[in-house]
Amino acid sequence: MSDPQMTDEIERRLASLRNRFPNRFSEAQWEEIREDLEQLVQAAATLRRRALGNADEPDFIFVP
């Protein structure tokens, strides 16, 4: 992760989870959680870069 702002966000979220659930996960599980957080933060950053206009609507998928 090269973006320091994204790294800070991941560390803050991970610290919050560790404070809330201190004994629930092993260190290996915490590493998996960190990887999941990295993916989620990257996906959120990608979505934030997408400019939307006021008239833009969600992309609905019709499944009969």
Side-chain angles (χ1 to χ4, degrees):
M1 182 105 358
S2 60
D3 186 3
Q5 192 173 20
M6 288 175 64
T7 302
D8 288 344
E9 182 176 353
I10 291 165
E11 292 303 321
R12 284 192 315 268
R13 290 178 184 271
L14 190 61
S16 175
L17 288 170
R18 280 187 181 261
N19 286 334
R20 188 167 179 186
F21 307 107
N23 300 319
R24 187 168 293 185
F25 303 108
S26 68
E27 284 305 313
Q29 289 173 315
W30 281 116
E31 275 305 309
E32 290 180 28
I33 292 169
R34 175 188 294 282
E35 292 170 7
D36 291 344
L37 281 172
E38 288 176 1
Q39 292 175 357
L40 290 170
V41 168
Q42 287 176 347
T46 300
L47 288 173
R48 283 188 208 107
R49 285 192 296 268
R50 177 79 171 134
L52 294 176
N54 191 38
D56 290 339
E57 295 193 16
D59 186 20
F60 291 106
I61 299 175
F62 177 73
V63 180

